[in-house]
Amino acid sequence: MEQQAIRDQILQAFNFRHATKRFNPDKKVNAEDFHTIIEAGRLSPSSIGAEPWRFLVVQNEDLRQKLKKVSWGAQGQLDTASHFVILLARKNVRPGTEYLTHIMKEIKNVPDDVLEDMNKRYEMFQNDSLDLYESERSLWDWASKQTYIALGNMMSVAAFLGVDSCPIEGFSMKEVTQLLSDEGIMNEDEFLPSVMVAFGYRAEDPKRAKTRQAYEDVIEWLE
């Protein structure tokens, strides 16, 4: 495929995507397409390669109805989406913890002598550069930001495949945390819900074309 055709396809996908409030409940995303979408999330980059996330694919109807009671921004989506995903952000992702040691040694195969130096540099990065150790919330917020990289990639890939999506922040953090904990789905000592996203096929086309600020109003070249 020529470069111009690729560029056109990319922009067409971004213009196609919109925040779908209600999906066609009778039209489901096939397994192969959804696997590609969720893999785009799993393969996404993250700061220091920490992968501080977990993706919950909520297909259970009873759980969806329980979520609906505490997720004001997902009322139409929970009833109609083909696939509904909750992105969890991991708490306390810092050098020396069991989780980050696992990532470095068992996933990235970092030797012990190298790991010690990396831990020192990562601690300087988190503490001195970003001031993440001022509170537990600061460190979790940093992990939560990483989940939005995965979120964006999943929605973009979905658009390339002609699949609609909707990112959702409209939920009660405390109540969703309690629900997932009570259901035995999430250990709140390790994770908190970061953001949700629904996938499927739009029930109707948008009532108006996509609106964005002008190129020159948001992009500045410094030369």
Side-chain angles (χ1 to χ4, degrees):
M1 185 181 293
E2 294 182 359
Q3 285 297 105
Q4 185 57 51
I6 295 172
R7 289 192 289 267
D8 290 343
Q9 186 180 21
I10 290 170
L11 294 181
Q12 286 169 7
F14 276 84
N15 277 293
F16 163 83
R17 195 214 65 79
H18 80 110
T20 304
K21 306 305 183 201
R22 294 193 68 84
F23 298 87
N24 181 343
D26 299 321
K27 194 174 181 182
K28 304 300 181 183
V29 178
N30 68 51
E32 292 80 7
D33 282 350
F34 185 73
H35 177 75
T36 301
I37 292 167
I38 204 75
E39 274 288 89
R42 186 182 71 86
L43 296 172
S44 293
S46 58
S47 186
I48 67 174
E51 302 177 46
W53 47 51
R54 189 171 180 83
F55 309 120
L56 304 179
V57 184
V58 183
Q59 301 303 86
N60 181 279
E61 289 299 327
D62 181 58
L63 181 57
R64 283 197 185 193
Q65 291 307 308
K66 291 177 180 178
L67 281 167
K68 189 176 175 181
K69 295 177 182 178
V70 294
S71 305
W72 56 267
Q75 298 298 292
Q77 295 91 336
L78 279 163
D79 282 339
T80 62
S82 170
H83 293 72
F84 192 89
V85 182
I86 304 174
L87 286 76
L88 307 180
R90 186 176 286 274
K91 300 168 72 174
N92 195 35
V93 179
R94 56 191 295 175
T97 58
E98 182 179 356
Y99 173 73
L100 201 53
T101 299
H102 160 73
I103 289 292
M104 295 303 165
K105 294 186 65 173
E106 298 177 39
I107 305 301
K108 299 183 179 299
N109 298 313
V110 175
D112 287 341
D113 57 332
V114 177
L115 179 61
E116 183 177 355
D117 181 61
M118 288 178 68
N119 280 341
K120 291 178 182 177
R121 287 189 283 113
Y122 287 159
E123 188 169 288
M124 288 178 60
F125 163 68
Q126 287 185 324
N127 191 34
D128 299 346
S129 297
L130 298 181
D131 199 21
L132 298 180
Y133 298 164
E134 64 174 355
S135 70
E136 290 184 3
R137 180 59 189 251
S138 295
L139 198 56
W140 180 82
D141 282 340
W142 170 79
S144 179
K145 286 195 296 185
Q146 314 309 311
T147 71
Y148 279 70
I149 302 173
L151 171 70
N153 284 340
M154 287 193 288
M155 291 194 299
S156 296
V157 167
F160 280 113
L161 296 172
V163 175
D164 289 297
S165 63
C166 185
I168 298 158
E169 293 183 312
F171 60 91
S172 167
M173 168 78 79
K174 290 182 179 179
E175 291 178 298
V176 172
T177 296
Q178 189 66 55
L179 172 60
L180 296 178
S181 298
D182 290 346
E183 294 286 325
I185 296 169
M186 183 190 76
N187 181 349
E188 63 181 292
D189 291 332
E190 296 183 44
F191 292 98
L192 287 174
S194 177
V195 66
M196 303 173 176
V197 60
F199 297 99
Y201 296 95
R202 62 191 69 180
E204 58 183 30
D205 288 330
K207 291 182 171 56
R208 63 177 184 174
K210 184 184 290 290
T211 58
R212 290 293 188 272
Q213 295 184 73
Y215 180 98
E216 59 271 15
D217 290 337
V218 295
I219 297 168
E220 180 178 0
W221 287 65
L222 307 176
E223 298 179 315

